Amino acid sequence: MKRINFAFGVHLHQPLGNFDHVFEFALEKSYRPFMETLWRFERVKTAVHVTGTLWEWIEAHHPEFFDLMRKLQDRGQIEVLGGGFYEPILSVIPEWDRKAQIALMNRRIKKMFGKKPKGMWTAERVWEPQLASIIARGGIEYVVLDDYHFKAAGLLSSELFGYFVTEDAGERLAVFPISERLRYLIPFAKPQEPIDYLREMASDDGERLLVMIDDCEKFGVWPGTHKWVFKEKWLEKFLKLLSEADFINFVTPSEFKNSSKPSGRVYLPTCSYHEMGEWSLPTESALVYESLLAQLKEDDSLERYKPFVRGGFWRGFLAKYPESNYMHKRMCSVSKMVHGAKVPASVRKLAATNVMRAQCNCAYWHGIFGGLYFPHLRFAIYRELIEAESLIQSSLLGKKKWVSLSQDDIDADGVDEVLIGNPNLGCVLSRTGGAMVELDCRRSKTNLLDSLSRHKEAYHAHLRASDDEADTDEHASIHDRQFTTSERMMKRLNYDWHRKWSFVDHFLAAGTKLADVRDAKYRDLGDFVKARFDLKTSESGSVASAEFARCGHLYFDEGRRSLELKKRFSVEAAGSSVCCDYEIRNADGESIEAVFGVEFSIACYGDKEHCSFSRGDDVWEPLADTASLERVSAVRLADPYRGYTVKLEWDGEAGVFRFPLETVSQSEKGFDLIKQATTVVVLWPLNLAGGASLKRSVLLDLSPL
Amino acid sequence: MKRINFAFGVHLHQPLGNFDHVFEFALEKSYRPFMETLWRFERVKTAVHVTGTLWEWIEAHHPEFFDLMRKLQDRGQIEVLGGGFYEPILSVIPEWDRKAQIALMNRRIKKMFGKKPKGMWTAERVWEPQLASIIARGGIEYVVLDDYHFKAAGLLSSELFGYFVTEDAGERLAVFPISERLRYLIPFAKPQEPIDYLREMASDDGERLLVMIDDCEKFGVWPGTHKWVFKEKWLEKFLKLLSEADFINFVTPSEFKNSSKPSGRVYLPTCSYHEMGEWSLPTESALVYESLLAQLKEDDSLERYKPFVRGGFWRGFLAKYPESNYMHKRMCSVSKMVHGAKVPASVRKLAATNVMRAQCNCAYWHGIFGGLYFPHLRFAIYRELIEAESLIQSSLLGKKKWVSLSQDDIDADGVDEVLIGNPNLGCVLSRTGGAMVELDCRRSKTNLLDSLSRHKEAYHAHLRASDDEADTDEHASIHDRQFTTSERMMKRLNYDWHRKWSFVDHFLAAGTKLADVRDAKYRDLGDFVKARFDLKTSESGSVASAEFARCGHLYFDEGRRSLELKKRFSVEAAGSSVCCDYEIRNADGESIEAVFGVEFSIACYGDKEHCSFSRGDDVWEPLADTASLERVSAVRLADPYRGYTVKLEWDGEAGVFRFPLETVSQSEKGFDLIKQATTVVVLWPLNLAGGASLKRSVLLDLSPL
């Protein structure tokens, strides 16, 4: 009889920052019923990986779930996999954190399950060749990756059984290919189909191994799957058929590794599953890439050539989304600070754990899941980073009042940013536009400027103006689902030409409408927003300030005019506000007429934010979601979820545009219209004779709610 | 007027181990006339990279060449580029060597040219993302890579001007794309064509930069190019046209970098130039990949989709060629030994330099150049490794007689090899087949077993049985040349089913002919060659031995017979020989009739090796290149180039097959038939009744010539 070895497994993960009810839903609809069903089929073995964010939530809320896993382990039914504890992309985090993440997972597994893991899961199966030595030095013997990695290295499908040896810097590591075929069949085909495939692959010597380890969320969390997998008993039927298949020998990966020789040597390129290649490409390239896939599909040769059709790789997200890059570089810099600071070991340990949490990959990229587009995920990253930074700073500086000013190339673009901080707030200012890039409220642990520009996405081309339709094929793979959308979203497909920072200085033609600014369909007469400013900084014990200056131009139909723009940010040691003093000088002989607009985009959740305005009498009136007002002297925003209030005040009166910054993105459930921030543009008429100046001050005051 | 910046440059390299006359040829036909021609066109600036092997040869033989380069530098015409001094693939050498190779190059350039380099050349433009931090930490600000790398990351051709910022672990590095278009035009198109292309790419703001830095050997060393580039004055015409083009601003990369902002942020995948992707794939996959290229070419869409059509990456060569893997792992292990041993710093420095030389990439891979297929290149690698090892061992052990035995997984396949050494020799024995993998003669610094199996290559399919034809298009790019070949080579297209090690144990049917064994067209009755043997080792102060044993089978038409094979290798402390005692026992009831053949493949050069045999009377008769003899008692091989004599002796008489091990490979000059080794198979009749045994001893004695 032909026989085959089979290693089954599941990966359980929830992103840092996900809502409590989502954790609960996943546990009840997927993780628990999965393990309970598994318990009834003793022959079937399963590798199980639980990531750190979920691990901590389970420990706090449902420790009995780990009891169930331990029972399964005691019966020899599951092998627990290690990994980077908080599910980081290992290749892009600092060296010490790589070691620490793997070691932390090893310790937690040892404590909970009595033995260290032999193998590990790699987040999103993002591979780079140098990981072999990094992982091997973490005491791990094997990883599981997609068979696509191996095909990309030139191995043939017919060779992809068992495990291979890879190496870096002389350190060996075993790598198991996960069968893509089984990954697509389970649980989306009829339960018999994966069994048939296993039978087809079985051989006389019985030495082959097929591996299928994938997201446990496919079993119950993904749309429609709970009904299909549990209510209609897909999993039960599948496990029953497996149990009855006497040609299958169930193994865990390490059982197989202990008893079998490697199938060969392999070096895997920078790679993940095939789809990641498409997502990580810049949008224009992604469209070309899509058309290549379509052409090969039409020629019926895509399957044959897929190993050699490759898009970008994970790090491409850092180049594609500046917001991801900024968050990543900020994380690297906080990590460096935590590991370099002279603080007690206990403080460092706490702060280092915050940093490791902030390395959870989900918020840094975007594919079929919302990821980077979800404000609650980014919010959680910044929360951990701000907490780490505050821990170190309070340890170093104690309870005294202080204000600090430093320069560092936070976003790694070759130009230093200015960092100003005091016990209440921290802000980062860029020489590009002299804008504010980050503003942290330490008490609420919020980066108030954590928003997202509206980027063009390749899938926007697939958006069709149609009403939402019911999903007819509920258990279809999320890779196949046809999304529906609405006209409302089509209208929101506007793309920003600059980063949605704050203190962004526009010069508008008189009569420019709110809708035009909102939809990025206006003309900025100035050339300041993306230009590099000169910088002077000064610092005393009680106040730190940074002055940005630039001679630029306004471009009118009748010709360009020279303009000098100076803006000076000041922060006091005990203050909870940033003051910005503007001076705009017409450096031209001719007079200038325009509207000077300072743009702020303040992070907030869709329906949880309250915005009001005042005309200077301390009477606050609600400010509608989309509103254009005259003669306003202050605007106030409060976000109860994030726990802050921010007030923008200026001298005299100004006009105000207020509108939501909304992005259109895809997720596994369809298309999402997400409010990233409230944008407020403060507007002053700018009528300057040659040589004349305008001075204005804007005070940004923040306080916890 | 539209303007453009242009950075021109050349990379001068000769592999470790190349023949002296080739260095001389390259200097006189290419490097010197290139620089002399450049001297006449003062406006044109050039980046120049000279690798360590060549550097040392120039210093020793033609120091005036560096005088010429210095004169060019003093005039501001050249910028000297750094790199890994001996041109290693940086990503695959140990960490300390990466640092040391870059630092060594920095020091040598500082000493010779008065200032440290700002930028560097990357060997074969082999990129892996983690190199950014490794290179940046070496004090280097930028690297030049192919524009293909950038396209693979999803950048569009229209964006590929200037330089980009990449990053790893928070360390920034600038990367310049080399224009593939210019790389193909220079010097293969008419001199006006690259100028026209530069003009076409010029822009109103004049801010664009195009870079063309490529092998200097294209100017005079590659077949036909000396005539074209110098005799017919291609270079002179080109430089004259460049000089006269007032729309071109000549810069070196660092001049441009100092004065211009980066064009963006990029993360480059594991990548090199496009062709490397094809070469590094396993042969069967390379054929599929070729057909994809052909299909897209036919659809006229290859250019559009090429960024997403990718083969393997450099490390793939280590999986594709076990000989490359072995040499690489051996190099890693010697490097570890050198850096870990307690020896005086002066000894370590010498040995570390040997190891760094042995990291020169050329012998480790194979594409359009011979590389791995060239015995003289591999010979030079082993020479450096053996020298490094001997330096450390003499320092540790002094002049006393010693013999050592240890186990280590040299080839990183998960199973330890046995290493036996004494002051005269070192050998490595594998549990696979109980064969000898490496045999070093310390005095001649030669690995006698450094041969190459006959591997199937994708380009073998293109071999046509035709007489050699003259190359009609002499200045065609080597990528386009049509190779010619001969029927003789077609006949040599045989592929080995096992590694061409020594002490490889075959069981042949009676009457098996030499030609069948030579052409790998025979049947091995046994299952020993590729099977894992049991191992016992023993060691005293005066003798070290390793015994390999296995119960296997012979497969006859009438059924299989059980057979026990034991082989015991011994080396004495003062000896210059390895003795192997065989015991073969028929573990079956039935009698066995076969021929027992022990195969040796001894490295040698084609026409420089002398082989003789003796019938036991110490009279040595020449043994023809291909010969089958009876009743021989010893065979002797001497290679004057390598400087060794090796003698194989056994008790009594035996038959002998002798034939050359010849490979068919491509190089830039066409197809090469290369003698890798002399294979000697010692043959004994094996007629064993059930339970009976045969004992034989083979003495392998080596001594310098």
Side-chain angles (χ1 to χ4, degrees):
Chain A
M1 187 181 61
K2 293 187 176 184
R3 296 179 56 83
I4 193 162
N5 298 290
F6 178 46
F8 187 34
V10 280
H11 155 67
L12 286 63
H13 172 58
Q14 289 298 324
L16 180 80
N18 215 352
F19 303 110
D20 216 58
H21 66 86
V22 180
F23 281 86
E24 193 74 43
F25 181 86
L27 186 84
E28 296 308 333
K29 296 295 177 184
S30 169
Y31 310 150
R32 193 197 304 279
F34 184 95
M35 296 300 163
E36 284 170 351
T37 311
L38 186 66
W39 177 256
R40 294 172 44 211
F41 298 93
E42 192 169 350
R43 253 196 94 208
V44 181
K45 295 182 180 179
T46 310
V48 180
H49 178 241
V50 181
T51 66
T53 325
L54 179 60
W55 186 295
E56 291 182 339
W57 184 89
I58 291 173
E59 275 196 317
H61 299 87
H62 288 282
E64 79 286 357
F65 181 75
F66 282 138
D67 296 337
L68 177 55
M69 274 182 65
R70 266 197 307 265
K71 270 173 60 191
L72 281 157
Q73 185 194 246
D74 293 346
R75 203 155 81 170
Q77 235 183 313
I78 70 173
E79 173 179 350
V80 180
L81 295 181
F85 190 65
Y86 292 105
E87 201 64 352
I89 304 295
L90 271 184
S91 48
V92 304
I93 64 171
E95 214 173 309
W96 47 77
D97 289 320
R98 290 175 191 155
K99 284 175 66 172
Q101 291 265 17
I102 295 173
L104 177 58
M105 183 62 122
N106 289 354
R107 281 200 307 277
R108 298 301 283 267
I109 291 177
K110 177 82 164 62
K111 198 173 159 198
M112 181 68 72
F113 294 98
K115 52 187 170 188
K116 282 193 180 171
K118 302 258 193 221
M120 70 171 250
W121 180 257
T122 309
E124 298 299 324
R125 284 96 86 196
V126 171
W127 185 255
E128 296 191 7
Q130 75 277 17
L131 288 181
S133 57
I134 292 163
I135 292 170
R137 286 185 197 127
I140 297 290
E141 295 171 17
Y142 73 87
V143 295
V144 284
L145 294 168
D146 292 272
D147 55 8
Y148 185 68
H149 295 72
F150 296 74
K151 291 177 189 172
L155 290 172
L156 307 173
S157 301
S158 56
E159 300 172 297
L160 290 180
F161 299 101
Y163 69 97
F164 292 77
V165 176
T166 191
E167 168 269 343
D168 177 66
E171 306 274 353
R172 271 183 301 113
L173 185 74
V175 276
F176 286 84
I178 296 170
S179 162
E180 186 188 68
R181 180 73 180 275
L182 287 176
R183 196 159 67 80
Y184 276 74
L185 291 175
I186 298 171
F188 301 109
K190 299 214 157 43
Q192 183 63 40
E193 288 189 42
I195 314 280
D196 291 345
Y197 181 66
L198 284 162
R199 190 185 302 274
E200 197 186 313
M201 292 296 113
S203 64
D204 288 324
D205 62 15
E207 288 181 0
R208 289 178 171 179
L209 166 76
L210 278 178
V211 178
M212 148 64 200
I213 309 182
D214 204 352
D215 298 354
C216 195
E217 294 77 27
K218 287 169 79 172
F219 304 89
V221 176
W222 289 5
T225 56
H226 181 72
K227 180 163 173 261
W228 169 252
V229 172
F230 294 107
K231 288 195 182 152
E232 295 170 6
K233 297 185 190 292
W234 188 96
L235 185 63
E236 187 180 324
K237 292 176 200 164
F238 173 62
L239 295 181
K240 186 157 185 290
L241 286 169
L242 272 181
S243 284
E244 291 165 2
D246 54 0
F247 70 97
I248 299 175
N249 180 41
F250 297 94
V251 290
T252 68
S254 62
E255 284 172 359
F256 185 84
K257 184 174 170 289
N258 287 340
S259 64
S260 303
K261 282 200 299 184
S263 302
R265 182 184 306 283
V266 74
Y267 287 91
L268 306 170
T270 45
C271 195
S272 176
Y273 42 87
H274 192 251
E275 297 86 348
M276 184 72 91
E278 186 169 344
W279 300 332
S280 56
L281 280 178
T283 297
E284 295 307 321
S285 280
L287 293 168
V288 178
Y289 180 75
E290 263 187 19
S291 69
L292 169 59
L293 293 182
Q295 178 177 318
L296 293 173
K297 207 163 186 173
E298 199 174 311
D299 292 347
D300 216 17
S301 56
L302 181 58
E303 275 315 303
R304 178 168 156 80
Y305 294 134
K306 211 168 159 186
F308 310 122
V309 176
R310 299 215 290 280
F313 74 121
W314 195 90
R315 297 200 200 205
F317 291 116
L318 303 176
K320 182 174 186 173
Y321 301 108
E323 293 85 355
S324 169
N325 178 67
Y326 183 82
M327 199 156 60
H328 172 257
K329 300 302 176 292
R330 189 78 167 87
M331 173 275 285
C332 291
S333 116
V334 176
S335 177
K336 207 167 169 179
M337 174 197 184
V338 167
H339 289 272
K342 285 181 183 161
V343 294
S346 59
V347 173
R348 188 192 319 285
K349 196 180 164 189
L350 279 175
T353 304
N354 289 127
V355 172
M356 284 196 283
R357 279 204 195 98
Q359 292 169 344
C360 180
N361 75 84
C362 307
Y364 290 92
W365 65 285
H366 171 59
I368 191 72
F369 300 107
L372 175 69
Y373 275 89
F374 285 155
H376 60 293
L377 302 190
R378 300 195 311 266
F379 166 67
I381 301 284
Y382 280 109
R383 183 189 59 208
E384 298 294 337
L385 294 179
I386 294 166
E387 186 159 348
E389 206 173 47
S390 301
L391 274 167
I392 299 296
Q393 283 173 340
S394 357
S395 174
L396 291 173
L397 297 160
K399 293 212 179 294
K400 68 175 181 189
K401 287 173 189 168
W402 53 271
V403 62
S404 67
L405 186 149
S406 59
Q407 294 190 39
D408 192 8
D409 182 11
I410 297 283
D411 58 0
D413 70 345
V415 183
D416 280 355
E417 283 77 45
V418 178
L419 290 83
I420 301 181
N422 73 15
N424 301 317
L425 63 85
C427 70
V428 179
L429 305 166
S430 171
R431 286 182 58 191
T432 301
M436 188 181 279
V437 172
E438 179 175 342
L439 175 60
D440 300 335
C441 171
R442 296 205 197 278
R443 197 140 112 211
S444 66
K445 297 173 195 163
T446 307
N447 169 13
L448 295 178
L449 307 194
D450 163 32
S451 76
L452 196 72
S453 303
R454 294 164 295 181
H455 301 290
K456 187 176 173 187
E457 295 285 357
Y459 53 75
H460 286 167
H462 306 308
L463 256 175
R464 293 284 166 269
S466 64
D467 290 325
D468 290 328
E469 288 166 23
D471 190 5
T472 50
D473 188 12
E474 288 214 330
H475 64 271
S477 158
I478 56 167
H479 303 288
D480 296 331
R481 293 179 71 234
Q482 292 300 314
F483 298 122
T484 58
T485 181
S486 70
E487 286 186 344
R488 188 161 157 255
M489 283 195 198
M490 287 296 285
K491 285 190 190 150
R492 290 299 178 278
L493 285 184
N494 304 305
Y495 304 118
D496 289 307
W497 58 279
H498 64 86
R499 298 284 306 278
K500 297 303 265 185
W501 290 334
S502 288
F503 293 98
V504 178
D505 307 319
H506 300 287
F507 294 88
L508 307 175
T512 302
K513 300 214 160 33
L514 177 145
D516 299 332
V517 175
R518 182 193 61 198
D519 298 345
K521 283 172 182 149
Y522 65 105
R523 183 168 144 219
D524 194 319
L525 302 172
D527 57 5
F528 292 86
V529 172
K530 298 171 90 164
R532 191 175 294 178
F533 278 55
D534 294 329
L535 170 66
K536 274 193 282 190
T537 60
S538 68
E539 199 189 348
S540 72
S542 61
V543 61
S545 63
E547 183 180 287
F548 296 90
R550 179 168 180 271
C551 297
H553 295 95
L554 301 195
Y555 294 79
F556 296 97
D557 291 340
E558 60 272 26
R560 71 176 197 183
R561 302 281 178 268
S562 298
L563 195 82
E564 280 175 29
L565 173 58
K566 271 191 203 166
K567 53 201 291 196
R568 183 185 168 87
F569 293 92
S570 315
V571 174
E572 291 175 9
S576 63
S577 61
V578 181
C579 181
C580 183
D581 299 309
Y582 277 96
E583 181 174 355
I584 298 169
R585 198 178 76 83
N586 180 347
D588 211 283
E590 305 288 323
S591 66
I592 288 173
E593 274 190 48
V595 174
F596 175 52
V598 183
E599 180 183 333
F600 300 85
S601 290
I602 308 291
C604 64
Y605 285 125
D607 53 358
K608 287 194 177 136
E609 161 233 0
H610 306 285
C611 190
S612 50
F613 71 97
S614 165
R615 300 205 191 265
D617 44 9
D618 210 34
V619 176
W620 294 90
E621 294 177 51
L623 184 54
D625 201 33
T626 295
S628 173
L629 293 182
E630 302 287 330
R631 299 194 313 278
V632 172
S633 67
V635 169
R636 195 168 67 180
L637 292 98
D639 184 333
Y641 182 86
R642 285 188 160 86
Y644 69 80
T645 302
V646 58
K647 197 164 67 181
L648 293 169
E649 276 183 303
W650 44 89
D651 29 44
E653 295 179 341
V656 159
F657 286 164
R658 182 218 169 182
F659 52 84
L661 171 63
E662 291 172 311
T663 56
V664 176
S665 60
Q666 70 179 12
S667 75
E668 74 277 24
K669 293 179 183 160
F671 283 100
D672 297 317
L673 183 66
I674 298 176
K675 180 168 173 184
Q676 299 291 346
T678 281
T679 298
V680 172
V681 190
V682 185
L683 303 155
W684 289 279
L686 187 76
N687 301 313
L688 293 179
S693 295
L694 175 79
K695 291 188 179 185
R696 286 289 179 273
S697 292
V698 180
L699 187 78
L700 190 161
D701 181 72
L702 61 90
S703 45
L705 201 63
Chain B
M1 186 180 64
K2 292 187 176 183
R3 298 180 56 84
I4 194 163
N5 299 289
F6 178 46
F8 188 34
V10 280
H11 155 66
L12 286 63
H13 173 57
Q14 289 298 324
L16 180 80
N18 215 352
F19 302 111
D20 216 57
H21 66 84
V22 179
F23 281 86
E24 192 74 44
F25 180 86
L27 187 83
E28 297 307 335
K29 296 294 177 184
S30 168
Y31 310 150
R32 194 197 302 280
F34 184 95
M35 295 301 162
E36 284 169 351
T37 312
L38 186 65
W39 177 255
R40 294 173 44 210
F41 297 94
E42 192 169 350
R43 255 195 93 207
V44 181
K45 293 182 181 179
T46 310
V48 180
H49 178 241
V50 181
T51 66
T53 326
L54 179 60
W55 186 295
E56 291 182 339
W57 184 89
I58 291 174
E59 275 196 318
H61 298 88
H62 288 282
E64 78 286 356
F65 182 75
F66 281 138
D67 296 337
L68 177 55
M69 275 181 65
R70 266 197 306 263
K71 270 170 63 189
L72 282 157
Q73 185 194 246
D74 292 346
R75 203 155 82 171
Q77 236 183 313
I78 70 175
E79 173 178 350
V80 180
L81 296 181
F85 191 65
Y86 293 105
E87 201 64 353
I89 303 296
L90 272 184
S91 48
V92 303
I93 63 172
E95 214 172 310
W96 46 79
D97 289 319
R98 289 175 191 156
K99 283 175 67 172
Q101 292 264 17
I102 294 173
L104 178 58
M105 183 61 123
N106 290 354
R107 281 200 307 276
R108 299 301 284 267
I109 291 177
K110 178 81 164 61
K111 199 174 157 196
M112 180 68 73
F113 294 98
K115 51 187 171 188
K116 282 193 180 170
K118 301 259 193 219
M120 71 170 250
W121 180 256
T122 309
E124 298 300 324
R125 284 96 85 197
V126 171
W127 185 256
E128 296 191 7
Q130 75 276 18
L131 288 180
S133 57
I134 292 163
I135 292 170
R137 285 183 198 128
I140 298 290
E141 295 172 15
Y142 73 87
V143 294
V144 284
L145 294 168
D146 291 272
D147 54 8
Y148 186 69
H149 294 73
F150 296 74
K151 290 177 189 172
L155 289 172
L156 307 174
S157 301
S158 56
E159 299 173 298
L160 289 180
F161 300 100
Y163 70 97
F164 292 78
V165 176
T166 190
E167 168 271 341
D168 178 66
E171 305 274 352
R172 272 184 299 114
L173 185 72
V175 278
F176 286 85
I178 296 170
S179 162
E180 186 187 67
R181 179 74 181 274
L182 287 177
R183 196 158 67 80
Y184 276 74
L185 291 176
I186 298 172
F188 301 110
K190 298 218 155 44
Q192 182 63 39
E193 289 189 41
I195 314 281
D196 291 344
Y197 181 67
L198 284 162
R199 190 185 302 273
E200 198 186 310
M201 292 296 112
S203 64
D204 288 322
D205 62 14
E207 287 181 2
R208 289 178 171 180
L209 166 77
L210 278 178
V211 178
M212 148 64 201
I213 309 182
D214 204 353
D215 298 353
C216 195
E217 294 77 27
K218 288 168 80 172
F219 303 90
V221 176
W222 288 6
T225 55
H226 181 72
K227 180 162 172 262
W228 169 252
V229 172
F230 295 107
K231 288 197 183 151
E232 295 170 8
K233 297 185 190 297
W234 189 95
L235 185 62
E236 189 181 321
K237 291 176 201 165
F238 173 62
L239 295 182
K240 186 156 184 291
L241 287 169
L242 273 182
S243 283
E244 292 165 1
D246 55 359
F247 70 97
I248 299 175
N249 180 40
F250 297 95
V251 290
T252 66
S254 62
E255 284 172 357
F256 185 84
K257 183 173 171 290
N258 287 341
S259 65
S260 303
K261 283 200 299 185
S263 302
R265 182 184 306 282
V266 74
Y267 287 91
L268 306 170
T270 45
C271 194
S272 177
Y273 42 87
H274 192 251
E275 297 87 347
M276 184 71 93
E278 186 169 345
W279 300 332
S280 57
L281 281 177
T283 298
E284 295 307 321
S285 280
L287 292 168
V288 178
Y289 180 74
E290 263 187 21
S291 69
L292 169 58
L293 294 182
Q295 178 177 319
L296 292 173
K297 207 163 185 173
E298 199 173 312
D299 293 348
D300 215 18
S301 57
L302 182 58
E303 275 315 303
R304 178 169 155 80
Y305 294 135
K306 212 168 157 187
F308 310 122
V309 175
R310 298 215 291 281
F313 74 120
W314 195 90
R315 297 200 200 205
F317 291 116
L318 303 176
K320 181 174 187 173
Y321 300 109
E323 293 85 356
S324 168
N325 179 67
Y326 184 81
M327 198 156 60
H328 172 256
K329 301 302 177 292
R330 188 78 168 87
M331 173 275 286
C332 291
S333 116
V334 176
S335 177
K336 207 168 169 178
M337 174 197 184
V338 166
H339 289 272
K342 286 181 182 161
V343 293
S346 60
V347 173
R348 189 193 318 282
K349 196 181 164 189
L350 279 174
T353 304
N354 289 127
V355 171
M356 284 197 282
R357 281 206 193 94
Q359 291 168 344
C360 179
N361 74 85
C362 307
Y364 290 93
W365 64 286
H366 171 60
I368 191 72
F369 300 106
L372 176 69
Y373 274 90
F374 285 155
H376 60 293
L377 301 190
R378 301 195 310 268
F379 167 67
I381 302 284
Y382 280 109
R383 184 189 59 209
E384 300 294 337
L385 295 178
I386 294 166
E387 187 160 347
E389 206 173 48
S390 300
L391 274 167
I392 300 296
Q393 283 174 339
S394 356
S395 174
L396 290 173
L397 297 161
K399 293 210 179 294
K400 69 174 181 191
K401 286 174 189 167
W402 54 271
V403 63
S404 67
L405 186 149
S406 59
Q407 294 189 41
D408 193 6
D409 182 11
I410 296 283
D411 58 0
D413 70 345
V415 184
D416 280 354
E417 283 76 45
V418 179
L419 290 82
I420 301 181
N422 72 16
N424 301 316
L425 62 84
C427 70
V428 179
L429 306 166
S430 171
R431 285 182 60 189
T432 301
M436 187 181 281
V437 172
E438 179 177 342
L439 175 61
D440 300 335
C441 171
R442 295 206 198 276
R443 200 140 110 209
S444 66
K445 297 172 193 164
T446 308
N447 169 13
L448 295 177
L449 307 194
D450 163 32
S451 76
L452 196 72
S453 305
R454 292 165 295 182
H455 300 291
K456 186 175 173 187
E457 295 286 356
Y459 54 75
H460 286 168
H462 306 307
L463 255 175
R464 292 286 165 269
S466 63
D467 291 325
D468 290 329
E469 287 165 24
D471 190 5
T472 50
D473 188 13
E474 288 214 328
H475 64 269
S477 159
I478 56 168
H479 302 288
D480 296 332
R481 294 178 70 233
Q482 292 299 314
F483 298 123
T484 58
T485 184
S486 71
E487 285 187 346
R488 188 159 158 255
M489 284 195 196
M490 287 296 287
K491 285 188 189 150
R492 291 297 177 278
L493 286 184
N494 304 304
Y495 304 118
D496 289 307
W497 58 278
H498 62 87
R499 297 285 307 277
K500 297 302 267 186
W501 289 333
S502 287
F503 294 98
V504 178
D505 306 319
H506 299 288
F507 295 88
L508 307 175
T512 302
K513 299 216 162 30
L514 176 145
D516 298 333
V517 176
R518 181 192 61 197
D519 299 344
K521 282 172 182 149
Y522 65 103
R523 184 170 144 218
D524 194 320
L525 302 171
D527 57 5
F528 293 86
V529 172
K530 298 172 91 164
R532 191 175 295 180
F533 278 57
D534 294 329
L535 169 67
K536 274 192 284 188
T537 60
S538 70
E539 199 189 348
S540 74
S542 60
V543 60
S545 63
E547 183 179 286
F548 296 90
R550 180 168 180 272
C551 297
H553 294 94
L554 301 193
Y555 293 80
F556 297 98
D557 291 341
E558 61 270 27
R560 70 175 198 184
R561 303 281 178 266
S562 298
L563 194 81
E564 281 176 28
L565 173 58
K566 271 190 202 166
K567 53 201 292 195
R568 182 186 168 86
F569 293 91
S570 316
V571 175
E572 291 176 6
S576 62
S577 61
V578 181
C579 180
C580 182
D581 299 309
Y582 277 96
E583 181 174 355
I584 298 167
R585 201 178 74 83
N586 181 347
D588 212 281
E590 305 289 324
S591 66
I592 287 173
E593 274 191 48
V595 174
F596 175 52
V598 183
E599 181 183 333
F600 300 84
S601 291
I602 308 291
C604 63
Y605 284 125
D607 51 0
K608 288 194 178 137
E609 160 233 1
H610 306 283
C611 190
S612 51
F613 71 95
S614 164
R615 298 206 192 267
D617 42 12
D618 208 33
V619 175
W620 293 89
E621 294 177 52
L623 184 53
D625 200 36
T626 296
S628 172
L629 293 181
E630 302 286 332
R631 299 194 312 278
V632 173
S633 68
V635 169
R636 195 168 66 179
L637 291 100
D639 184 332
Y641 182 87
R642 284 189 161 85
Y644 69 80
T645 303
V646 59
K647 198 163 66 181
L648 295 169
E649 277 183 302
W650 44 87
D651 30 42
E653 295 178 340
V656 159
F657 286 164
R658 182 217 169 182
F659 52 84
L661 172 62
E662 292 172 311
T663 56
V664 176
S665 60
Q666 70 179 12
S667 75
E668 73 277 24
K669 294 180 182 160
F671 282 100
D672 297 317
L673 183 66
I674 297 176
K675 181 168 171 183
Q676 299 290 347
T678 282
T679 298
V680 172
V681 190
V682 185
L683 304 155
W684 289 279
L686 188 76
N687 302 313
L688 294 179
S693 294
L694 174 79
K695 290 188 180 184
R696 286 289 180 272
S697 290
V698 180
L699 188 78
L700 189 162
D701 181 73
L702 61 91
S703 45
L705 201 61

